[in-house]
Amino acid sequence: MRDLLPYLKLYKKHWFGLSLGMLLAFATLFASIGLLTLSGWFLSAAAVAGLTIARETFNYMLPGAFVRGFAMGRTAGRWGERVVSHNATFKLLTDLRIYFFSKLAPLIPGRVSNLRDADLLNRLIADIDAMDHVYLRLISPMVVGTLGIASLTAFLCWFDLEIGLTLGSILLVLVITWPILFYKLGKRNGLELTQHKAKLRIAGLDWLQGYSELTLFGAEERYRNAILDAQRRLMNNQLVNAHFSGLAQALLMLANGWTLVLMMWLAADGIGGRAPDPLIAMVAFATIASVELLMPIAGAFQHLGQTMTSARRLNQVILSEPEVTFPDQETQHDGNYSIEYRDVSFAYDDQSPALQNVNLKIEAGSKIAIVGQTGSGKSTLTQLLTRYWDVNQGEILLCGQPLRSWNESQLRQAITVVSQRVDILNGTLRDNLLMAKPEADDAEIATALEKVGLANLLNDQGLDTWVGDGGRQLSGGEKRRIGIARAILHNSPILLLDEPTEGLDKQTEQQIMNLFESHFEGKTVVFITHRLVNLDQMDAVCLIEQGQVIEHGAHQTLIAKQGRYFELCQTL
């Protein structure tokens, strides 16, 4: 149960709604049991009175009014309980998703690098959804059932102590043994159900994302069969779950029947020392109604195994400590946005070093090209600067201040990244640009699009144009330009360009290079590329090979030096 503690703490925020839901559930249960118990006594008493002279004085109106009141209260209470408890539960799940995402974001990419995207999605959706079982199927039924048993026992003890305590004891034994029994029965199946649900989502997402490639290489059928296999396993788990639910209800009905026989036997000689009278019917119907106390509890702990498994999967993320942490306070600096790497070394997870003893200073307002072959460590330089990772050795200075002293929001405001892969969300054109500047109005967004040569996208639906999943409606060049439009809107003093022209034709590449020159004048620009094109327009060029700085200087200076950079240029 310790695995559930991080989530039970979130209940404090919604204590009123959750408590009100349990109160309404108890009121509904009270009305249901009261309706059946009173109806049983009323019918029996009315029948007995009709056979005697008491029919002239028997009060038919008051019990009839209570029967109507219990019936209306039962209907209204059930509706109110559903509205209140589900509203509180949905709000709780909303807060839990936000809480989970706030814990997940700082862990990327370090702690969760071994988790698939589909697995994270399953934790964010299915595993968090399973947490509603804690309140709706565990806490609420147990609290309401316990209060109901105590109330029903006290009511019957008012008439006959022996009968009241006997029924209360039987119900108490059932409420203790039933959850334990069906938790043990459903624990393993709940674990497998949660795992197979995650595998089905992963297999389905793999098939959807790679359908075109899988079809081209003839592997589509194998991946489709993996989906069907995961689906079959999940359906088998759901079938076992249904069997356990049916078994729990059947055994509960059997127990209720035998309890009724016992109560009738105890009450046969009369209630409270009196001669047999209609109170016997009241006891019988109260025993029959008591099954409503236990019915929700019968299946409550059956789902606990599934809930506990989901909680452990969520805890793998929530309880993890991020590898990169940021201070709360902002650092003070002079506004001179220079960048300096001092003896920086870095390796990914005990692999060979990606960077070794890198010393590099980039003056504020200058443009530098970081060149080298694929895998030489170019992108790692920018990832360390944005604190995607932290250096293993050495130090990075920004504006003359240690990078670790920068507040996260302060650092994000200072740096804009235009990566080789521009992520386009499945939304409107406006949605994808407001990410860079949430307070921007439509006119400012349209101006940014015009600057990058995407004025044609403003036709027809304009900024309300739906760009599709991953920007399916856009070409590769248009996606890159949207990335540049975001950089224009963000307007930070430092710009990191990671292979922004990779895979583009020469005409589009030249257009994008012209955009950099015209729109980012006066900013500190770091241009990552393995293509030695237009580097004469840069203030400096830094050549990296195998994680080490080989040469650093102006383009003409390095050419005149006729070193490694000169040799690479000669091969073009």
Side-chain angles (χ1 to χ4, degrees):
M1 296 297 288
R2 289 194 300 269
D3 293 323
L4 297 177
L5 289 179
Y7 313 100
L8 295 178
K9 293 178 181 178
L10 295 176
Y11 280 39
K12 295 180 181 179
K13 181 178 179 181
H14 303 282
W15 70 269
F16 179 77
L18 298 175
S19 301
L20 181 59
M22 288 189 286
L23 180 62
L24 289 173
F26 177 73
T28 303
L29 183 65
F30 177 81
S32 298
I33 295 177
L35 176 62
L36 189 57
T37 302
L38 180 60
S39 298
W41 173 86
F42 182 38
L43 291 173
S44 300
V48 172
L51 297 175
T52 65
I53 195 172
R55 65 179 178 272
E56 302 294 337
T57 59
F58 186 75
N59 186 352
Y60 294 93
M61 301 303 296
L62 187 59
F66 270 100
V67 169
R68 288 178 178 270
F70 281 138
M72 291 187 291
R74 180 173 180 249
T75 303
R78 191 174 299 279
W79 177 84
E81 185 269 333
R82 290 290 188 271
V83 171
V84 172
S85 62
H86 282 75
N87 179 62
T89 303
F90 290 147
K91 288 182 177 179
L92 179 66
L93 293 180
T94 299
D95 289 345
L96 182 54
R97 283 197 171 89
I98 295 173
Y99 174 69
F100 177 80
F101 189 81
S102 68
K103 294 291 186 179
L104 171 64
L107 301 178
I108 298 174
R111 297 293 184 185
V112 295
S113 58
N114 60 332
L115 297 179
R116 305 279 295 276
D117 291 346
D119 189 25
L120 289 175
L121 179 63
N122 190 75
R123 295 175 196 238
L124 189 61
I125 298 176
D127 289 335
I128 289 180
D129 281 343
M131 291 297 104
D132 69 355
H133 295 326
V134 177
Y135 171 74
L136 293 177
R137 295 185 176 181
L138 182 62
I139 296 178
S140 181
M142 288 297 294
V143 172
V144 173
T146 303
L147 291 176
I149 290 172
S151 301
L152 182 59
T153 301
F155 173 74
L156 292 179
C157 284
W158 177 267
F159 296 96
D160 191 299
L161 185 63
E162 180 185 1
I163 289 178
L165 291 178
T166 300
L167 180 59
S169 299
I170 293 173
L171 295 177
L172 185 61
V173 169
L174 290 176
V175 85
I176 293 174
T177 58
W178 233 247
I180 296 175
L181 173 62
F182 282 93
Y183 169 66
K184 294 293 185 182
L185 289 175
K187 181 179 179 180
R188 179 177 178 181
N189 187 68
L191 170 63
E192 293 177 353
L193 189 147
T194 302
Q195 293 174 342
H196 291 153
K197 188 182 295 183
K199 290 179 180 179
L200 177 60
R201 191 180 296 274
I202 292 172
L205 196 58
D206 285 346
W207 180 78
L208 285 172
Q209 290 180 333
Y211 180 79
S212 300
E213 291 79 3
L214 293 174
T215 302
L216 287 173
F217 290 97
E220 187 270 337
E221 183 178 359
R222 178 162 58 87
Y223 275 73
R224 181 157 35 87
N225 289 336
I227 296 176
L228 296 175
D229 182 63
Q231 183 184 42
R232 178 182 56 80
R233 294 174 183 272
L234 179 60
M235 292 178 66
N236 287 339
N237 291 131
Q238 293 172 338
L239 181 62
V240 173
N241 232 17
H243 285 165
F244 285 148
S245 296
L247 178 62
Q249 295 183 19
L251 291 178
L252 188 59
M253 295 298 292
L254 179 63
N256 185 253
W258 283 108
T259 303
L260 176 61
V261 171
L262 177 61
M263 291 296 103
M264 291 292 289
W265 181 74
L266 292 174
D269 293 332
I271 304 297
R274 293 187 292 269
D277 59 9
L279 289 179
I280 296 176
M282 182 193 70
V283 171
F285 278 89
T287 304
I288 295 173
S290 65
V291 73
E292 195 161 342
L293 288 165
L294 301 175
M295 194 64 74
I297 298 174
F301 279 72
Q302 177 188 336
H303 299 276
L304 184 58
Q306 178 182 349
T307 303
M308 295 286 288
T309 303
S310 294
R312 283 191 287 269
R313 285 167 51 82
L314 293 174
N315 287 342
Q316 291 176 3
V317 173
I318 290 176
L319 301 182
S320 297
E321 292 294 331
E323 294 184 355
V324 177
T325 57
F326 291 86
D328 296 328
Q329 301 297 325
E330 293 187 356
T331 187
Q332 300 297 321
H333 59 85
D334 56 7
N336 183 29
Y337 287 91
S338 61
I339 303 169
E340 185 175 359
Y341 294 83
R342 289 183 179 176
D343 297 321
V344 170
S345 296
F346 176 76
Y348 295 97
D349 298 330
D350 299 327
Q351 298 178 6
S352 58
L355 294 175
Q356 301 181 59
N357 301 320
V358 172
N359 288 279
L360 178 64
K361 186 169 184 179
I362 305 170
E363 299 293 342
S366 64
K367 297 181 178 63
I368 184 172
I370 309 295
V371 299
Q373 297 177 351
T374 301
S376 60
K378 306 185 303 298
S379 297
T380 303
L381 282 175
T382 61
Q383 291 173 352
L384 293 177
L385 183 59
T386 57
R387 294 203 68 189
Y388 202 69
W389 308 91
D390 271 339
V391 299
N392 299 139
Q393 295 179 1
E395 187 178 34
I396 300 178
L397 302 179
L398 184 61
C399 298
Q401 301 297 323
L403 191 62
R404 293 175 185 265
S405 67
W406 282 64
N407 177 278
E408 184 174 14
S409 60
Q410 187 183 21
L411 182 63
R412 301 295 176 246
Q413 287 295 325
I415 299 176
T416 297
V417 179
V418 179
S419 62
Q420 178 180 344
R421 174 185 173 183
V422 178
D423 292 316
I424 305 295
L425 302 183
N426 189 7
T428 64
L429 190 59
R430 180 189 291 105
D431 295 335
N432 278 277
L433 290 169
L434 284 177
M435 295 170 56
K437 189 177 182 181
E439 69 275 12
D441 55 25
D442 287 357
E444 189 174 359
I445 294 174
T447 301
L449 288 174
E450 291 172 359
K451 286 182 178 180
V452 298
L454 292 179
N456 60 303
L457 296 182
L458 298 174
N459 299 331
D460 299 328
Q461 295 182 340
L463 294 177
D464 293 320
T465 301
W466 199 264
V467 297
D469 186 17
R472 290 178 180 270
Q473 312 300 328
L474 305 173
S475 66
E478 288 174 332
K479 292 179 184 179
R480 301 288 173 81
R481 295 187 188 197
I482 286 180
I484 299 170
R486 288 173 179 169
I488 292 175
L489 288 170
H490 193 230
N491 195 30
S492 62
I494 298 176
L495 181 64
L496 306 181
L497 308 170
D498 189 359
E499 305 277 9
T501 61
E502 178 66 22
L504 300 181
D505 59 80
K506 291 186 177 181
Q507 182 180 358
T508 305
E509 178 184 19
Q510 189 58 49
Q511 290 174 347
I512 289 179
M513 293 299 297
N514 293 336
L515 286 172
F516 293 152
E517 293 181 23
S518 58
H519 297 306
F520 300 115
E521 189 68 31
K523 298 183 182 299
T524 304
V525 178
V526 180
F527 187 83
I528 306 293
T529 183
H530 67 273
R531 303 181 63 184
L532 308 183
V533 179
N534 296 326
L535 298 186
D536 56 333
Q537 302 173 12
M538 299 291 170
D539 297 320
V541 176
C542 177
L543 174 61
I544 293 182
E545 289 187 352
Q546 298 181 354
Q548 295 180 320
V549 175
I550 303 301
E551 293 181 338
H552 177 217
H555 171 74
Q556 297 298 337
T557 303
L558 295 180
I559 292 295
K561 188 178 177 181
Q562 295 190 357
R564 177 61 177 160
Y565 179 74
F566 172 78
E567 294 177 359
L568 292 175
C569 290
Q570 294 297 108
T571 61
L572 295 179

